[in-house]
Amino acid sequence: MANPDAAYASMDAFLASVERRALRTAEFSVNNRDDALDLVQDAMLELARRYAQRPPAEWPPLFYRILNNAILQFHRKRRRHARWFGWLENDAAVLDAVPDPGPDPANSAQQGEAMADLSAAMQRLSLRQRQVVMLRVWEGLDVADAAAAMRCSPGSVKTHLSRALNALRSQLEEHT
């Protein structure tokens, strides 16, 4: 891009357009809002630092590749940490599990139950299946962009998505 101000504005607009969905993607993947915020922020900074000069059409798969790599690294660190410190219990996790009733509990009870069931069903999926659902369904990336973000073949994306959707359908059939 010739004009640096236009490049910054374009990057800002892109990041603003994906921030909420990226946060939800990360939350489903790591099951902790604070960790998800850190991952999304780091991915945004990495995209802006390394790929701002690239054409805006290339940003979505690059951003989700960076975010997915950060999520995978997070899980690797968590497994390594659990290996060494798994015997310690974290009492704060009990408090984190208490749901926030939201501003209008009467209207949000059914929606809250459905979202809790969806969240639980997503957690039962493998990490790759969660990633592909978030990229293809939530983000609307096409098969090629999702494959580029996940560093796998388009056929693998299709297989993971099919298996994930079948599992979600069977687990959530009471909400349909």
Side-chain angles (χ1 to χ4, degrees), residues 46-72:
E46 185 75 11
L47 179 75
R49 186 179 309 125
R50 298 181 79 196
Y51 300 108
Q53 76 284 357
R54 295 269 185 104
E58 293 181 16
W59 292 342
L62 286 170
F63 173 72
Y64 286 104
R65 178 183 291 172
I66 294 166
L67 182 60
N68 281 330
N69 286 343
I71 290 168
L72 291 172

Side-chain angles (χ1 to χ4, degrees), residues 32 85-96:
N32 181 304
F85 302 106
W87 53 273
L88 294 174
E89 287 191 9
N90 186 357
D91 294 331
V94 174
L95 296 176
D96 291 339

Side-chain angles (χ1 to χ4, degrees), residues 81-125:
H81 185 269
R83 219 176 304 143
W84 289 99
F85 302 106
W87 53 273
L88 294 174
E89 287 191 9
N90 186 357
D91 294 331
V94 174
L95 296 176
D96 291 339
V98 176
D100 181 10
D104 189 8
N107 290 339
S108 64
Q110 276 186 328
Q111 185 179 17
E113 181 182 323
M115 285 305 295
D117 290 348
L118 174 61
S119 182
M122 287 289 289
Q123 291 304 315
R124 286 189 287 273
L125 297 176

Side-chain angles (χ1 to χ4, degrees), residues 107-166:
N107 290 339
S108 64
Q110 276 186 328
Q111 185 179 17
E113 181 182 323
M115 285 305 295
D117 290 348
L118 174 61
S119 182
M122 287 289 289
Q123 291 304 315
R124 286 189 287 273
L125 297 176
S126 71
L127 178 60
R128 293 297 269 184
Q129 288 175 346
R130 272 184 269 160
Q131 287 175 323
V132 78
V133 166
M134 297 310 289
L135 291 173
R136 292 279 291 128
V137 177
W138 185 263
E139 288 300 324
L141 294 182
D142 63 18
V143 173
D145 287 345
M150 294 176 66
R151 292 187 179 180
C152 63
S153 70
S156 182
V157 168
K158 292 176 187 177
T159 300
H160 285 302
L161 182 61
S162 175
R163 290 178 182 166
L165 292 177
N166 285 336

